[in-house]
Amino acid sequence: MIVVIKNQATEEQVSELMEWLRGFNVKTNLVTGVHSRIIGLIGDTTSIDADAVMAREGVEAVKRVQEPYKNANRRFHPEDTVIEVRGRRIGGGSLAVIAGPCSVETEDQLMRTAAAVKNAGADFLRGGAFKPRTSPYAFQGLGKEGIDLLIQARKETGLPIVTEIMDLSDLDLFADVDIVQVGARNMQNFTLLKALGRCDKPVLLKRGLSATLQELLMSAEYIMSEGNGKVILCERGIRTFEPETRNTLDISAVPLLRQKTHLPIVIDPSHATGHSGLVEPMSLAAVSAGADGLEIEVHTDPKNAWSDGAQSLTPEQFASSMKKIRALEKFVINGLCS
Ligand code: PEP
Ligand code: MN
């Protein structure tokens, strides 16, 4: 971190500022130029709030030269993190496909979808039991009954289950869930993130609707700083001015996050686009960009789905897309020139 000092700052203000900064266990290096003075901070500056530094007397500007996240940072953990769940892996080169309905609706719907996605080659079953809906009058999910149905579907298919937690008070209900999803709307629910950080369970953390990649990484850091390193990042589209799609898929998030973090990166082409017809091309784009996984919504009868029917693939469409996804995965893994 570099602190630029105001020209009119007094010697006393500068030495007070340096003493205050050293209280964060960093070394301070005052550099006096012809027209300006700067303080270089040496050491771990993650606990220093740049806004708090700005608020001190005599400070003109503050510039971070290192990222404010440590646990999620590839700089301190060069190898990819690989998360293993019931023999399936996410991260480190293979492609994990998470598929299933937006919402768990009925036993018949879930068991048939689970069998279909398993047959098509999915690695995980998804399904929302607690649903974050824009309208309070829309279907809110089956709650505990939905989680019980997911556990039943896991027994029938062997697929590990992924489902979203919305409220910390429901945490006990997730004891037998394999991967806990934190939805876009809860990406900055810091109390929830910290509580999940104290659990030994993988967390699929979705990017907020208008969150920057740094904010996503800082949310991962909330979970990791409490001791849980099993975080999977998910890009699910961000809100832009384009109304043709539900969101805009930020495909560059994959290579960019890859540089910044060792955590696995998953793309959700369903919520990113809102249109079933765009799910396959965006899945292929995600695989080409090097994603570690996909999260895809599949429904046995999309037009009668209780949520997100327009973006859900039928089992047949999913099976057909999976053939192309797996073929492209092999091509990408083997390298374009080999
Ligand atoms: C979901 O995956 O069902 C969901 C609600 O996604 P998001 O949080 O990305 O909107
Ligand atoms: Mn959905």
Side-chain angles (χ1 to χ4, degrees), residues 213 216-217 233 252-262 265:
L213 292 177
L216 172 64
L217 288 166
L233 304 172
S252 63
V254 178
L256 233 150
L257 287 170
R258 179 77 65 224
Q259 288 169 15
K260 293 184 180 297
T261 183
H262 51 89
I265 306 151

Side-chain angles (χ1 to χ4, degrees), residues 1 23-26 44-50 52 64 68 70:
M1 184 178 271
F24 292 94
N25 271 331
V26 290
D44 182 4
T45 59
T46 43
S47 66
I48 305 180
D49 176 2
R64 269 197 184 281
K70 209 169 30 175

Side-chain angles (χ1 to χ4, degrees), residues 260-303:
K260 293 184 180 297
T261 183
H262 51 89
L263 297 173
I265 306 151
V266 165
I267 289 278
D268 171 349
S270 308
H271 292 89
T273 61
H275 296 289
S276 58
L278 299 182
V279 170
E280 181 182 293
M282 291 302 98
S283 298
L284 298 175
V287 178
S288 305
D292 297 298
L294 295 168
E295 186 177 37
I296 298 177
E297 287 188 341
V298 180
H299 196 283
T300 44
D301 182 11
K303 57 184 181 308

Side-chain angles (χ1 to χ4, degrees), residues 101-103 126 131 206 246 268 270-271 297 307-308 311:
C102 177
S103 302
R126 67 147 285 149
K131 294 305 305 173
K206 300 189 91 173
R246 183 171 178 182
D268 171 349
S270 308
H271 292 89
E297 287 188 341
S307 61
D308 287 352
Q311 67 194 35

Side-chain angles (χ1 to χ4, degrees), residues 71-276:
N71 292 286
N73 201 326
R74 191 179 277 283
R75 196 192 293 264
F76 308 115
H77 188 302
E79 299 84 35
D80 287 347
T81 283
V82 180
I83 294 171
E84 291 221 26
V85 188
R86 294 181 188 265
R88 267 84 170 177
R89 288 156 66 87
I90 306 188
S94 54
L95 183 84
V97 178
I98 305 166
C102 177
S103 302
V104 178
E105 298 169 4
T106 64
E107 180 177 346
D108 179 63
Q109 169 247 14
L110 186 66
M111 301 311 143
R112 286 199 295 128
T113 314
V117 299
K118 162 94 194 260
N119 285 339
D123 303 285
F124 293 84
L125 174 67
R126 67 147 285 149
F130 294 92
K131 294 305 305 173
R133 305 303 300 281
T134 304
S135 165
Y137 309 114
F139 175 57
Q140 303 285 304
L142 297 180
K144 179 181 179 322
E145 191 193 335
I147 293 186
D148 290 344
L149 287 172
L150 285 163
I151 292 169
Q152 184 187 328
R154 181 179 64 205
K155 276 204 193 102
E156 291 188 10
T157 60
L159 293 180
I161 52 178
V162 182
T163 193
E164 176 169 350
I165 188 166
M166 283 174 58
D167 194 319
L168 192 49
S169 63
D170 295 323
L171 191 55
D172 288 347
L173 298 176
F174 287 72
D176 201 14
V177 164
D178 298 302
I179 300 182
V180 179
Q181 176 169 311
V182 173
R185 291 153 192 83
N186 261 322
M187 190 203 84
Q188 287 189 319
N189 181 340
F190 301 123
T191 315
L192 181 61
L193 300 179
K194 282 203 246 181
L196 292 171
R198 293 188 288 272
C199 301
D200 183 31
K201 224 177 238 312
V203 177
L204 179 70
L205 177 64
K206 300 189 91 173
R207 182 179 184 180
L209 276 71
S210 57
T212 64
L213 292 177
Q214 178 153 314
E215 285 163 344
L216 172 64
L217 288 166
M218 289 306 280
S219 290
E221 193 72 15
Y222 260 93
I223 300 169
M224 299 177 89
S225 63
E226 293 289 327
N228 184 358
K230 294 183 211 156
V231 180
I232 302 152
L233 304 172
C234 180
E235 156 61 31
R236 43 77 73 208
I238 47 175
R239 184 161 280 185
T240 69
F241 47 81
E242 177 53 68
E244 294 284 341
T245 48
R246 183 171 178 182
N247 292 289
T248 296
L249 179 58
D250 179 7
I251 206 84
S252 63
V254 178
L256 233 150
L257 287 170
R258 179 77 65 224
Q259 288 169 15
K260 293 184 180 297
T261 183
H262 51 89
L263 297 173
I265 306 151
V266 165
I267 289 278
D268 171 349
S270 308
H271 292 89
T273 61
H275 296 289
S276 58

